[in-house]
Amino acid sequence: MLGNTLAASLIWGVNTLFLLDAGLSNLEAFAANAFFSAGMLIFEIPTGVVADTVGRRASYLLGTVTLAVTTIMYWMLWVWQSPFWAWAVVSVLLGLGFTFFSGAVDAWLVDALKATAYKGSLETVFGRAQIVGGIAMLSGSVLGGVIAQATNLGVPFLIRGAILLVMFLVAALLMRDLGFVPDRSESPLRATRTVLRASVRYGLGDPPVRWLMLASPFTAGVGIYVFYALQPYLLELWGDEEAYTVAGLAAALVSGTAILGGALAPWVRKLFHRRTSSILLATATSALVLIGVGLVRNFWVAVVLVALWGIASAIDDPVHRAYLNDMIPSKQRATVLSFDSLMGSGGGVVIQPVLGRVADVGGYGASLVWSGVISAVAIPFVLLSRGQHTPADSAREVTAETDA
C-alpha cells in the first residue's frame, strides 16, 4: 500500500495540469481520464479472473509492470505534444494496469486474514491500510508538486515509473498467496466461464451486493472527476495558474483526510448498529459538501470544504469495503470486487467528460455543484441494499467463509 500509493500519488497533484500543458482542452483532458476509466471498465473482469484462477500475487506483479511501462509512455506523449487519440489509447492501457490491483489486493488480504484466524473487524484493517495509503499519498502529492515546480511537469511521471519497478521486485520476493489455492483443474477458457458465472451469482445476482454496486457509478465516477478538477479549481481561486505546489495541496488535502478518515472509520462504525448507516451518512455529507465547494469563491473556505469532503469519503471507504467483502465467497472474491470497481469505472467513463464539458462552459465551480447533485443519486441504492437486512450489514468481526 505504501509503495503503490507513493508511486501513484506523485502525479495526482499535477495530472490535470500535465494534460493541459500538453495542449489538451478541459474536455479532452477529462475525456482522457474517461478513457482511463474505460480501460478499467473493459479489463476489470478479465484481470479479476486472472487473480481468481492464476493467483493474486501474479495479478499484482502484472499490474506493476503494466503501470510502469504505460506511465513512461504517458511522459513520452507529453514530450511529443501528441494528438488526443494517442492519449486515449495510452489512458486505456493505464486503466489495464490498475485493474490488476483493484480486486486482487483486497482479495489477497482478506484471504490471508481468514487463513491466519484473524478475529478483529475488517474496518480496522482497511482503516489502517487507508492511514498508510494516506501518509504515502500526502508525501507523494506534495513531493510531486514540489518536483514539478523545481523541474517540470514530466519528472514526477519518470519517478513514478521507477518506484513501480522497485515494487515489482519487492512483491516478487515477499508476496505470497495465503489461504487461497488457484483451481487449475479446468482449461483457462472454461475456468473463466466458471468464475464469471459464480461471480454474477454472488455479485449482481445477490440483492444487497447488487444495490451497493449500483451506487458505485455515482460515488466513484464523481470522485474521480472531483479529485482531478480540484487541482485547476484551487489554482483559479488562488490566482496563480503556475503555482504547482498549491495544485499539490488538493491531493495532499485528500490524502491527509484519508489518514484521519482511516483512523475514524472503526470509531464511526461503532456508533451505528449497521454498516449502511455509516455509508449513508458519508454519501449524503459528500454530496452536500461538493455543492458548497462549487459555490464558494474564497480559497481558504474551499480548502476547509475539500477537507470535509475528503473525511466523509475516507470514512466511507473502509466500511464499504468491509461490508462488500463480508458478502463474497473467497473463490469469487477478486472477480466480484473487480465487478464493483467496474461499476465505478463505468460511471467515470460517462461522468468525467460530461462534467469536463460543464467546466469548459460554466467553470469548475458549476461542475462541482453538479458533482454533488450526481453523487446524491447513490443514496437510494444504498437504502435498497440496507433493506435486504443481510448479516454482513451488522457484522463486527471477520465472518466465517461462505461456501461457494
Side-chain angles (χ1 to χ4, degrees):
M1 179 64 71
L2 182 69
N4 271 26
T5 310
L6 178 63
S9 62
L10 279 170
I11 66 107
W12 284 348
V14 297
N15 183 67
T16 305
L17 305 175
F18 175 83
L19 295 173
L20 296 175
D21 188 65
L24 302 182
S25 66
N26 277 315
L27 174 59
E28 290 174 329
F30 286 104
N33 287 341
F35 273 98
F36 164 77
S37 297
M40 296 190 70
L41 181 69
I42 294 166
F43 296 113
E44 279 290 4
I45 298 305
T47 54
V49 172
V50 168
D52 279 334
T53 58
V54 179
R56 286 68 155 112
R57 176 178 178 269
S59 185
Y60 181 90
L61 293 174
L62 285 169
T64 55
V65 172
T66 305
L67 269 183
V69 171
T70 50
T71 296
I72 300 304
M73 291 173 67
Y74 231 50
W75 173 80
M76 293 169 67
L77 295 181
W78 173 75
V79 170
W80 296 335
Q81 296 284 290
S82 300
F84 173 74
W85 67 263
W87 291 96
V89 171
V90 178
S91 294
V92 170
L93 296 176
L94 273 171
L96 167 63
F98 275 100
T99 59
F100 280 112
F101 298 144
S102 56
V105 176
D106 275 14
W108 172 76
L109 171 64
V110 175
D111 286 343
L113 290 175
K114 292 179 183 296
T116 53
Y118 175 75
K119 298 299 182 184
S121 71
L122 286 176
E123 282 91 346
T124 300
V125 178
F126 286 132
R128 289 172 181 169
Q130 190 162 290
I131 291 170
V132 172
I135 292 170
M137 184 177 170
L138 178 63
S139 305
S141 56
V142 173
L143 186 60
V146 171
I147 291 172
Q149 186 86 55
T151 54
N152 59 60
L153 286 165
V155 173
F157 286 79
L158 296 176
I159 298 175
R160 178 194 193 185
I163 294 175
L164 285 166
L165 292 177
V166 171
M167 291 311 302
F168 174 85
L169 296 175
V170 170
L173 292 173
L174 301 178
M175 192 174 184
R176 297 290 181 270
D177 286 336
L178 298 178
F180 173 77
V181 179
D183 183 1
R184 299 191 175 97
S185 60
E186 299 179 309
S187 67
L189 184 59
R190 180 170 293 183
T192 298
R193 287 199 301 264
T194 300
V195 171
L196 278 174
R197 282 196 298 267
S199 297
V200 170
R201 175 188 172 192
Y202 292 107
L204 294 178
D206 188 4
V209 178
R210 177 176 65 243
W211 295 124
L212 191 66
M213 284 183 173
L214 290 175
S216 293
F218 304 100
T219 54
V222 164
I224 295 169
Y225 172 79
V226 170
F227 182 81
Y228 289 114
L230 286 173
Q231 302 163 19
Y233 183 58
L234 288 181
L235 283 183
E236 180 183 296
L237 295 181
W238 181 257
D240 182 359
E241 294 184 356
E242 294 186 358
Y244 300 143
T245 302
V246 174
L249 175 64
L253 272 173
V254 177
S255 60
T257 56
I259 298 170
L260 180 59
L264 290 176
W267 178 78
V268 172
R269 171 69 182 93
K270 292 177 181 177
L271 296 178
F272 301 101
H273 174 66
R274 302 172 70 175
R275 283 167 166 160
T276 48
S277 298
S278 300
I279 296 172
L280 284 167
L281 176 63
T283 304
T285 302
S286 295
L288 290 172
V289 170
L290 282 177
I291 293 172
V293 173
L295 293 175
V296 302
R297 300 304 302 168
N298 180 278
F299 174 81
W300 294 110
V301 174
V303 165
V304 172
L305 291 176
V306 169
L308 290 175
W309 174 72
I311 291 171
S313 300
I315 290 174
D316 170 78
D317 186 64
V319 181
H320 178 108
R321 291 162 69 187
Y323 180 41
L324 193 59
N325 268 283
D326 264 346
M327 295 188 286
I328 306 170
S330 175
K331 288 184 179 180
Q332 292 79 36
R333 181 167 284 123
T335 307
V336 176
L337 292 175
S338 290
F339 225 113
D340 182 56
S341 182
L342 178 151
M343 299 296 288
S345 298
V349 169
V350 177
I351 290 170
Q352 288 187 91
V354 169
L355 291 176
R357 181 58 181 164
V358 172
D360 274 333
V361 175
Y364 289 109
S367 71
L368 290 170
V369 170
W370 277 106
S371 296
V373 173
I374 293 170
S375 64
V377 179
I379 294 174
F381 293 106
V382 179
L383 288 170
L384 286 167
S385 180
R386 178 187 180 88
Q388 302 302 312
H389 301 287
T390 176
D393 198 5
S394 56
R396 295 285 178 176
E397 296 183 349
V398 173
T399 58
E401 187 60 82
T402 304
D403 293 334

